[in-house]
């Protein structure tokens, strides 16, 4: 294939339907009847070897004894993931109690043929007895030792588990272990543990570790042929598409240094595969390295290809073309893939066209075999087949015939018995993928490997299940796939995630370089349009003096112009809306709901212009702008779907001869007052909720963002919302005050500050003769995140950066107060400072920008004054551009929770240390602020999460994730106390607040008897 053909195939197959991708792969993976018989005969022998190896393989016996879909298996996995990183005894004891105290270890005691597993189980039985107050004499005998005794025993068990999966804590230890008798028949590929760099210091540390590994392996002329594996994400903290301009050159420079040293020492170097989002960026890096003149003629370079990716097969053609063009051999490690569940979830969250991975395990097996055949046929590639599947291995052996110019690979700690005979008796080569690192670094790796191999569909899991027959273990994946179909019905496409209720909003694959560049270009073209906002009363635009709307990242840049509403405009809008509402309320529900669906479609069709306005007028980065367009679309479709159910007449029970029916109707003319921080999503969310409920609407956008609102209203009118039903009144606080003061307003939906919400509430009650109308308010919060010592620091830092600094901290839900257990505070803060230093602050129209400006000069002045006032308490701040309304993302140390007395709406994160005790008291102190919008918790202790859930008085609690980005219909959003009135936006009760209830009771016997009762047969 030519380079252009290969690139076309990579683009076309990325998210193509499974059936389309699999059609040629099925043909390539198919074997004939005679081949199949030979493969099965050899595979049966390998199964016997593996089962014999099970008696020595601790991991296989562990998986057999403690299935990961059992309570005990999950408890052990959770304990292994967190225990070794917990520095303080109190939290370690709580973690052990949480994970071991509830499970039924006693039923598993003595059931395994493994002395090690049984010993561990009896230890867990004893531990549970101690922890639960059971155990009688035994408990009294060890009562003096108490929880420290249990903690020490569990710690020893966890370190034993770590030792089984890690080749060594250092490369020196790993090399020594690889030289032991049990490993001498294998070569090794040493992998420095660590999932990814979060800071430049991390990247430097990983680079040094890789360099030391290359040097150590290269000593003594690398007589065993060991190699080193490198993760690109470990070499730069911003290894991602939008940051490619700075990350790729830095990674290439570091890789070139490693490769030069490896070539000189005779050490092969393999670049590992990671998430599919990074694939094209990784190809650029690998190609740049392969074309480096100083590495010409070196055949030690390799890469990994993941068979679960839909682009796997053309990637082999890509590797062959690169090897041929550079006059070398490339090693290709073929793996099945390590991030399948994450890839599926990421695609669903992003709302993209399809999955980059197959949705059936059998499809991955087919892809693997098709790729294996292609690798064997590629003249410039050295295949390395990584598999624990006996059928896969024997199929490759059958296809290879007498060839031995390739190798197999397996994970250290797994696959015992599969390859020993093939290596010792038949001359095949096998390499161990061998992790190197400390026990703490093992945790994420260990959990990922156990989950992969413990998944119900994995060969290792099925092998450990005595109910799975040999025929099922060795079933032909081609035949299986043809029988079941290519796609799993249990995994809907991202667009169908919320079906049959509604279609998911459409996203953009901004991790794809071509999609990103095309989107940026489309936004640039849209910005050339002339944008204008003016009062729109019954479809007629009012005239008057216009003022320019300026970009917050560059106040000299004109985005458009706005004419603000006058008092007369407000009165005219209220009069027209009040007059039009009864007829709109009588409009069939189907018509109102369909208008919302059409509006959603129009928003998606006009995405470039909406993105342009959100970025230029509101200062949003491209990912934030895209998320807002999607949220607005979701609001339209969700409220349309909700209305179709909620607003149908509902018969009510009663005595015979009586008909009772409940109906929902609009309340009148609603005022919707939107904020500038979500000028499309909240503006439209409030507005379409009121409209579909049968209300007319006078919509007032924030004075900073009228252009987005004007565009949205134009689309609403074009979608079928009558102009006399929806009116637009741009302006400032005077327009808002005039609007809520008008007695024709039948309800107000408001998002903004608590102080403004109070003023609106007072205004609605000012006239004694005015009807009592609802105020639906969502206001701010002093949103706190609690982090205990069981939390994974890397995850904490990622979620803190997202929660505190995305959207320049200008979200109602943004993290304001980080509460760290003091035992782990300094390492987390050091990592957080390093991650902050990697942020790009600047023009939001640049796709590389992470943090844009705050909304206007007043917001900037207030936040800068706060920084100035806090003085030495500001212990980290970032530099910002001199032009524009930029505020330095900063960390501010506070002495107590109570010291944060008000909401600071920007990228200022306050930090408080906590001694780890009295969690109820800590939550109570947070509650005492009176705000109740969002709260975060990072902890691996389920009981801690349950306690916080029970005690926290907040609208949204986020556990082990970021605190922003609530999804319509999945995470209804809104607070309590000083943070709002409810009900929650994007939730099942929201529309009800926009409606009034009416009941009709009819005596059906009034015409002369109860015919329905009399008709009942005796």
């Amino acid at each position: 294939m030519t380079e252009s053909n290969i690139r076309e195939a990579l683009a076309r197959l990325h998210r193509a339907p499974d059936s389309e991708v699999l059609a040629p792969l099925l043909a390539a993976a198919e074997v004939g009847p005679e081949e199949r018989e030979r493969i099965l005969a050899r595979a049966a022998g390998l199964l016997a070897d593996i089962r014999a190896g099970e008696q020595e393989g601790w991991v296989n016996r562990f998986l057999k004894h403690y299935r990961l879909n059992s309570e005990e298996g999950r408890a052990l996995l959770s304990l292994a993931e967190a225990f070794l990183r917990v520095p303080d005894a109190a939290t370690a004891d709580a973690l052990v109690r949480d994970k071991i105290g509830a499970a039924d270890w006693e039923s598993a005691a003595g059931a395994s043929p493994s002395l090690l597993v049984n010993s561990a189980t009896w230890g867990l039985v004893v531990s549970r007895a101690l922890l639960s107050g059971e155990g009688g004499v035994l408990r009294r005998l060890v009562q003096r030792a108490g929880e420290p005794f249990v903690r020490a025993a569990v710690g020893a068990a966890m370190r034993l588990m770590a030792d089984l999966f890690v080749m060594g804590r250092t490369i020196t230890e790993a090399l020594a272990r690889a030289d032991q008798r049990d490993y001498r028949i294998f070569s090794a590929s040493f992998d420095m543990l660590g999932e990814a760099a979060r800071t430049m210091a991390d990247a430097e540390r990983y680079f040094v570790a890789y360099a030391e590994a290359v040097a150590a392996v290269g000593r003594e002329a690398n007589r065993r042929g060991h190699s080193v594996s490198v993760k690109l994400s470990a070499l730069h903290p911003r290894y991602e598409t939008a940051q490619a301009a700075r990350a790729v050159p830095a990674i290439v420079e570091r890789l070139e240094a490693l490769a030069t040293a490896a070539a000189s020492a005779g050490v092969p170097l393999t670049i590992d595969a990671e998430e599919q989002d990074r694939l094209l960026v990784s190809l650029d890096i690998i190609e740049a390295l392969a074309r480096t003149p100083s590495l010409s003629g070196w055949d030690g370079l390799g890469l990994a290809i993941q068979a679960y990716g839909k682009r796997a097969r053309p990637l082999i053609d890509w590797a062959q073309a690169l090897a041929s063009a550079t006059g070398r051999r490339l090693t290709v490690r073929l793996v099945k893939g390590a991030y399948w569940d994450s890839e599926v979830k990421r695609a669903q969250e992003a709302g993209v066209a399809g999955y980059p991975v197959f949705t059936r395990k059998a499809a991955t097996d087919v892809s693997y075999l098709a790729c294996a055949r292609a690798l064997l046929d590629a003249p410039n590639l050295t295949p390395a087949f990584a598999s624990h599947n006996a059928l896969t291995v024997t199929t490759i052996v059958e296809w290879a015939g007498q060839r031995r110019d390739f190798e197999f690979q397996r994970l250290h700690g797994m696959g015992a018995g599969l390859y020993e005979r093939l290596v010792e008796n038949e001359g095949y080569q096998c390499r161990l993928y061998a992790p190197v690192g400390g026990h703490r670094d093992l945790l994420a790796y260990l959990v990922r490997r156990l989950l992969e191999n413990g998944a119900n569909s994995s060969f290792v899991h099925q092998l450990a299940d005595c109910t799975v027959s040999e025929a099922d273990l060795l079933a032909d994946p081609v035949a299986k796939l043809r029988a079941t179909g290519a796609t799993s019905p249990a995994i809907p496409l991202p667009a169908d995630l919320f079906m049959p209720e509604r279609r998911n909003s459409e996203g953009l694959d901004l991790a794809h370089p071509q999609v990103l560049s095309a989107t940026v270009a489309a936004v640039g073209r849209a910005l050339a349009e002339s944008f204008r906002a003016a009062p729109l009363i019954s479809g007629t635009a009012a005239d008057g003096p216009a003022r320019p709307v300026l970009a917050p990242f560059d106040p000299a840049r004109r985005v458009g112009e706005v004419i603000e509403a006058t008092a007369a405009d407000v009165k005219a809008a209220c009069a027209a809306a009040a007059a039009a509402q009864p007829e709109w309320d009588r409009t069939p529900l189907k018509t109102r709901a369909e208008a919302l669906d059409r509006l959603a479609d129009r928003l998606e069709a006009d995405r470039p212009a909406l993105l342009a306005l959100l970025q230029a007028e509101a200062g949003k980065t491209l990912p934030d702008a895209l998320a807002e367009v999607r949220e607005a679309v979701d609001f339209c479709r969700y409220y349309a779907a909700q209305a179709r159910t909620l607003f149908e007449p509902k018969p009510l029970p009663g005595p015979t001869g009586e008909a009772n029916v409940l109906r929902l109707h609009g309340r009148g003319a609603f005022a919707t007052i939107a904020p500038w921080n979500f000028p499309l999503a909240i503006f439209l969310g409030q507005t379409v909720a009121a409209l579909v409920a049968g209300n007319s609407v006078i919509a007032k956008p924030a004075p900073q963002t009228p252009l987005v609102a004007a565009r949205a209203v134009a689309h609403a009118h074009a979608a079928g919302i009558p102009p006399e039903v929806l009116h637009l009144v741009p302006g400032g606080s005077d327009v808002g005050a005039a609007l809520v003061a008008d007695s024709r307003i039948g309800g107000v939906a408001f998002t903004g500050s608590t102080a403004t919400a109070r003023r609106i509430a007072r205004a609605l009650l000012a006239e004694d003769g005015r009807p009592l109308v609802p105020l639906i308010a969502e206001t701010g919060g002093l949103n706190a995140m609690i982090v205990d010592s069981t939390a994974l620091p890397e995850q904490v830092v990622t979620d803190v950066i997202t929660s505190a600094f995305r959207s320049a901290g200008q979200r109602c839900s943004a993290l304001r107060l980080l509460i760290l257990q003091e035992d782990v505070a300094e390492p987390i803060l050091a990592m957080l400072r390093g991650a902050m230093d990697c942020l790009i602050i600047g023009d939001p129209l640049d796709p590389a920008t992470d943090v844009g400006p705050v909304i206007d000069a007043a917001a900037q002045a207030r936040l800068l004054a706060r920084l100035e006032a806090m003085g030495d308490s500001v212990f980290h701040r970032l530099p910002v551009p001199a032009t524009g309304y930029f505020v330095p993302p900063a960390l501010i140390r506070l002495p107590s929770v109570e010291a944060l007395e008000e909401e600071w709406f920007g990228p200022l994160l306050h930090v408080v240390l906590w001694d780890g005790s009295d969690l109820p008291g800590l939550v109570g102190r947070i509650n005492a602020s009176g705000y109740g919008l969002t709260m975060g918790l990072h902890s691996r202790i389920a009981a801690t999460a349950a306690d916080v859930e029970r005690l926290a008085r907040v609208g949204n609690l986020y556990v082990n994730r970021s605190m922003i980005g609530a999804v319509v219909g999945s995470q209804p959003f809104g607070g309590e106390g000083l943070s709002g009135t409810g009900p929650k936006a994007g939730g099942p009760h929201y529309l009800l607040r926009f409606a009034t209830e009416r009941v009709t009771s009819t005596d059906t016997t009034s015409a002369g008897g109860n015919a329905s009762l009399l008709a009942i047969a005796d």
Side-chain angles (χ1 to χ4, degrees), residues 92-347:
D93 290 341
L95 179 67
V96 173
R97 279 196 304 273
D98 188 72
K99 302 306 176 191
I100 291 190
D104 181 15
W105 306 103
E106 196 164 354
S107 63
S112 173
S114 164
L115 179 62
L116 178 59
V117 173
N118 282 332
S119 298
T121 300
W122 279 113
L124 295 167
V125 171
V126 172
S127 298
R128 185 184 188 281
L130 291 169
L131 294 171
S132 63
E134 304 168 0
V137 174
L138 173 63
R139 184 175 189 278
R140 289 193 294 273
L141 286 173
V142 295
Q143 194 167 18
R144 290 182 183 177
E147 287 184 333
F149 170 81
V150 178
R151 186 168 63 249
V154 171
M158 295 301 104
R159 289 182 179 84
L160 174 62
M161 185 180 290
D163 285 337
L164 288 162
F165 284 92
V166 176
M167 200 71 172
R169 286 169 296 181
T170 65
I171 188 64
T172 303
E173 278 188 16
L175 282 165
R177 190 170 182 182
D179 228 14
Q180 293 176 3
R181 181 175 59 84
D182 289 347
Y183 301 106
R184 282 179 193 158
I185 66 170
F186 303 113
S187 56
S189 179
F190 297 107
D191 171 38
M192 304 300 106
L193 278 177
E195 292 294 290
R198 292 324 194 267
T199 69
M200 293 304 294
D202 287 344
E204 179 62 27
R205 177 167 52 85
Y206 284 130
F207 172 73
V208 169
Y210 286 133
E212 291 175 349
V214 168
V217 172
R219 295 188 190 109
E220 303 178 25
N222 192 21
R223 68 185 191 283
R224 294 274 305 284
H226 296 318
S227 63
V228 173
S229 293
V230 177
K231 285 186 176 67
L232 297 181
S233 60
L235 296 179
H236 199 282
R238 302 306 305 274
Y239 166 48
E240 55 200 77
T241 301
Q243 304 294 329
R246 64 169 168 152
V248 168
I251 293 174
V252 170
E253 181 181 351
R254 284 185 159 160
L255 266 182
E256 187 177 336
L258 292 174
T260 300
S264 176
V267 177
L269 196 71
T270 300
I271 297 172
D272 272 339
E274 299 183 64
E275 294 87 348
Q276 294 288 305
D277 282 353
R278 293 165 160 168
L279 176 62
L280 296 183
V281 179
S282 75
L283 298 187
D284 291 340
I285 293 169
I286 294 167
E287 182 168 0
L289 188 65
R291 294 184 182 278
T292 300
S294 62
L295 297 174
S296 177
W298 177 50
D299 290 339
L301 180 61
L303 68 149
I305 292 176
Q306 296 166 314
Y308 69 13
K310 293 177 179 177
R311 296 171 288 182
R313 179 59 190 84
L315 281 176
I316 293 170
D317 295 329
W318 179 88
Q320 166 59 31
L322 179 62
S324 177
T326 56
R328 57 153 47 87
R329 293 189 68 81
L330 283 173
T331 297
V332 174
R333 171 192 290 155
L334 185 63
V335 301
K336 293 198 173 173
Y339 305 95
W340 180 82
D341 52 341
S342 299
E343 297 284 4
V344 170
K345 182 179 182 182
R346 188 178 295 112

Side-chain angles (χ1 to χ4, degrees), residues 854-892:
V854 297
I855 191 62
D856 57 22
Q860 180 191 43
R862 183 173 186 271
L863 292 164
L864 291 178
R866 169 68 170 177
L867 281 175
E868 183 68 23
M870 294 310 295
D872 292 342
S873 296
V874 180
F875 65 97
H876 196 65
R877 62 186 287 171
L878 302 183
V880 296
T883 301
Y885 303 132
F886 291 95
V887 171
L891 301 177
I892 304 171

Side-chain angles (χ1 to χ4, degrees), residues 58 62 74 78 198 269 333 513 616 658 697 699 733 759 873 884:
W58 185 91
F62 173 87
R74 288 191 298 270
S78 300
R198 292 324 194 267
L269 196 71
R333 171 192 290 155
E658 181 176 283
V697 172
S733 59
R759 287 196 295 272
S873 296

Side-chain angles (χ1 to χ4, degrees), residues 440-509:
R440 182 190 175 283
D441 294 324
L442 166 78
L443 302 171
Y445 172 88
L446 169 64
V447 171
R448 171 58 55 190
R449 297 291 86 79
L450 284 178
L451 282 173
E452 286 169 20
N453 290 282
N456 290 341
S457 59
S458 81
F459 180 84
V460 172
H461 174 91
Q462 292 177 335
L463 185 68
D465 188 345
C466 58
T467 65
V468 177
S469 68
E470 184 172 302
D472 288 335
L473 276 172
L474 302 178
D476 180 7
V478 173
K480 188 185 299 185
L481 208 58
R482 284 183 170 147
T484 61
T487 305
S488 170
I491 303 175
L493 286 172
D496 299 331
L497 188 60
F498 302 108
M499 294 296 280
E501 180 190 71
R502 61 188 166 98
R503 192 166 82 252
N504 192 11
S505 56
E506 182 184 13
L508 286 170
D509 189 0

Side-chain angles (χ1 to χ4, degrees), residues 547-632:
R547 67 169 176 83
V549 178
L550 306 176
F553 57 89
D554 180 6
R557 179 169 182 165
R558 181 188 179 101
V559 183
E561 64 179 19
V562 59
I563 298 171
E564 297 191 337
T566 63
D569 293 328
V570 173
K571 285 185 178 180
C574 290
Q581 188 272 332
E583 182 61 30
W584 177 244
D585 190 40
R586 288 191 291 270
T587 299
L589 172 62
K590 180 175 182 291
T591 301
R592 302 201 303 260
E594 287 175 349
L596 266 61
D597 286 334
R598 287 193 297 271
L599 174 55
D601 295 342
R602 290 187 63 87
L603 296 175
E604 288 186 330
D606 193 36
R607 184 166 49 201
L610 292 172
L611 293 176
L613 281 174
L614 288 166
Q615 293 191 262
E617 185 181 27
K620 289 180 175 279
T621 62
L622 180 56
D624 285 341
L626 175 60
E628 180 161 0
V629 174
R630 293 192 62 209
E631 185 176 8

Side-chain angles (χ1 to χ4, degrees), residues 315 401 425 464 677 786 797 815 828 842 865 947:
L315 281 176
N425 300 342
N677 63 333
I786 301 170
V797 167
L815 172 61
I828 290 177
D947 285 344

